[in-house]
Amino acid sequence: MALMITDECINCDVCEPECPNQAISMGAEFYEIDPGKCTECVGHFDEPQCVQVCPVECIPVNPQQVEDKETLWRKYRRLMADQPV
């Protein structure tokens, strides 16, 4: 499952630099997570780093982007293959 940032976001800027996949960026009003890049930190960390640092706990699982662990691993491998060497 990819994560999402709710409208409770206070734009504190702590989540964006923590994302190893660069999936977090500023949206029109608050930060957003690109579900095509979010692996919930699978391949990098045991827990999603953005969730760990969020002071207002506004980063739940996106119910419209349900992915199992294997799907997240495949996405991680695809993203890593696309990285320049």
Side-chain angles (χ1 to χ4, degrees):
M1 296 167 266
L3 301 172
M4 61 185 275
I5 298 176
T6 68
D7 60 2
E8 296 168 341
C9 176
I10 59 171
N11 294 325
C12 67
D13 304 319
V14 298
C15 62
E16 183 183 22
E18 295 300 318
C19 181
N21 296 323
Q22 299 176 332
I24 301 174
S25 61
M26 179 54 82
E29 296 180 38
F30 49 87
Y31 280 93
E32 299 176 344
I33 297 178
D34 179 346
K37 292 182 178 180
C38 179
T39 64
E40 294 185 37
C41 290
V42 166
H44 297 282
F45 301 100
D46 292 334
E47 300 289 327
Q49 297 301 287
C50 60
V51 173
Q52 298 295 314
V53 299
C54 181
V56 293
E57 299 179 3
C58 67
I59 308 176
V61 170
N62 185 341
Q64 299 194 5
Q65 191 69 34
V66 177
E67 297 170 305
D68 62 19
K69 199 75 148 178
E70 181 57 36
T71 302
L72 292 170
W73 271 108
R74 284 194 305 267
K75 188 189 306 185
Y76 164 75
R77 289 192 297 269
R78 178 183 49 81
L79 289 169
M80 293 302 103
D82 291 345
Q83 293 288 322
V85 178

